[in-house]
Amino acid sequence: MSAPASCSALWASSRPVRATQPALQQPGAAQAGRRDRLAVARAGKQQDAAVVEPPAATPTPQQQHQGDPASLAASRRYLSLLPPFLGRATDLEELSPGRLWALTQPLKLDWQAFDIRLRMVVARLPDGNMLVVSPIAPTQEALAQLAQLGGAVRHVVLPSSSPEHWFYGPALCAAFPDAAVWAVPGLLEGKGLPFPFFQQYMGGVKPRCRVLGVDPLPAELQGQIETEVLTAPFFIEAAVILPQHGALLLADTGFCMSAAEYGHLGAGNIKAAKKVGVWDRLGPITKVVFDKCPEQGRAWVDAILARQTWDTVVPAHATAPIRDGRAAFKACFDFLYQ
């Protein structure tokens, strides 16, 4: 397999949304052509489909609170069992103009310099509504940013049994009562990491929960989402592929700390990141899972690489996106084939 790809070379730095920000690379020309032909073939059946207009420009939450730091702080206040415990800012980044975004919040204690972050990806569906993957805390600021994008949230994906990727699901879904919830197999039965009062906590969204890879996708998600599920003791993760955006979303299986973004950290943190193989490259932060289940791991990696509908990796933590994603993903899991 190929040598590790440098995250510094591949990373597009987070910044406020701009129309000139580079879009996600799309899959190869042959794949794009295939999708175009499929789109033409479907055109006769979709003449009545809604034409999605880009939302009118509206002030960002930061602009709305400009000159009023107390109001901005209030919009970020959120009590949580996950750090930071009292509140968090939300950064909105446009990954593909008018089509794909990342909303990122800190995931660290207030006094820590090392922030692994938590990233929710929002994709616009052909009907103008939204699909979100890996919910973040629904602060007033985050909800305002979602509203700014236009379109209603209709589908929420809980891609992992790791608590940070489902913990905010019930609260976010409370803001979008018409949204369907998609969970990895076994999550609703509590097969992930033990969590006190899990069944009671998830009880409010269970009636509208469906299972990824088990329940059939509705018409509006056909061709919009693909998943490959990895199941191991106390660990379940679905790699989520968004074919129309050429993106592979990873919850915990891939992790990159680019030197450009994390170079301010102390020598000890950098040394530790290099030791586990995530410094300036996409690395397997959950390597222990793959070491215990190498056959399942190889099958999962092979199934993802067999899909030609993605070439950019968007991890839910730390640095993202990683543009030359296929090379980085292959290098990440080289150890499974040695």
Side-chain angles (χ1 to χ4, degrees):
M1 289 192 173
S2 56
S6 166
C7 281
S8 291
L10 304 176
W11 172 59
S13 61
S14 299
R15 62 191 68 183
V17 176
R18 297 178 183 173
T20 57
Q21 191 164 351
L24 286 178
Q25 295 177 358
Q26 297 298 315
Q31 182 67 28
R34 184 179 70 85
R35 288 206 309 272
D36 291 343
R37 291 193 296 274
L38 288 174
V40 171
R42 295 190 189 106
K45 299 180 181 180
Q46 296 181 341
Q47 291 179 355
D48 296 329
V51 176
V52 178
E53 297 290 344
T58 56
T60 66
Q62 290 83 356
Q63 291 171 335
Q64 293 172 355
H65 296 288
Q66 191 171 11
D68 189 355
S71 176
L72 180 60
S75 74
R76 295 173 171 177
R77 193 172 298 127
Y78 192 90
L79 300 180
S80 173
L81 293 176
L82 300 180
F85 303 116
L86 302 180
R88 70 234 25 239
T90 305
D91 294 325
L92 171 64
E93 181 183 3
E94 189 172 55
L95 301 178
S96 182
R99 303 172 65 238
L100 194 69
W101 301 265
L103 277 72
T104 306
Q105 294 178 342
L107 186 58
K108 71 179 187 72
L109 297 171
D110 289 335
W111 50 266
Q112 287 181 315
F114 179 29
D115 181 8
I116 66 171
R117 303 196 186 106
L118 183 60
R119 181 174 293 107
M120 175 175 76
V121 171
V122 182
R124 190 182 301 284
L125 299 172
D127 62 5
N129 291 319
M130 299 293 192
L131 163 75
V132 305
V133 181
S134 197
I136 58 173
T139 63
Q140 291 180 17
E141 181 180 48
L143 292 177
Q145 288 172 337
L146 276 173
Q148 176 189 345
L149 302 180
V153 173
R154 295 300 187 195
H155 297 276
V156 177
V157 177
L158 312 180
S160 172
S161 60
S162 296
E164 74 270 26
H165 299 295
W166 56 257
F167 182 79
Y168 296 113
L172 183 71
C173 289
F176 301 101
D178 295 328
V181 182
W182 296 85
V184 289
L187 175 63
L188 299 178
E189 292 75 34
K191 292 184 179 179
L193 292 173
F195 190 87
F197 307 106
F198 174 82
Q199 297 300 334
Q200 294 89 330
Y201 186 79
M202 295 293 290
V205 297
K206 271 192 172 183
R208 46 178 165 148
C209 275
R210 306 172 190 179
V211 180
L212 291 168
V214 176
D215 292 320
L217 295 175
E220 66 269 22
L221 290 185
Q222 294 288 337
Q224 303 300 315
I225 182 173
E226 302 170 358
T227 57
E228 291 292 345
V229 178
L230 174 66
T231 302
F234 301 107
F235 184 86
I236 311 165
E237 177 170 326
V240 177
I241 299 170
L242 304 177
Q244 304 305 317
H245 307 280
L248 168 66
L249 313 185
L250 300 177
D252 292 318
T253 47
F255 192 100
C256 173
M257 294 171 58
S258 73
E261 193 175 7
Y262 285 94
H264 66 282
L265 295 178
N269 284 328
I270 293 175
K271 182 179 179 180
K274 290 180 178 179
K275 184 176 181 179
V276 297
V278 300
W279 181 254
D280 217 25
R281 57 158 289 179
L282 186 69
I285 196 69
T286 51
K287 185 174 182 292
V288 63
V289 173
F290 292 91
D291 286 340
K292 291 182 177 180
C293 307
E295 291 185 6
Q296 294 96 314
R298 282 192 295 270
W300 180 78
V301 171
D302 290 343
I304 293 171
L305 289 173
R307 296 182 182 271
Q308 300 300 314
T309 50
W310 65 274
D311 57 11
T312 297
V313 176
V314 184
H317 296 293
T319 298
I322 298 171
R323 301 291 177 180
D324 189 9
R326 297 190 75 87
F329 185 81
K330 289 178 182 178
C332 177
F333 295 102
D334 262 346
F335 68 93
L336 285 172
Y337 300 87
Q338 295 172 354

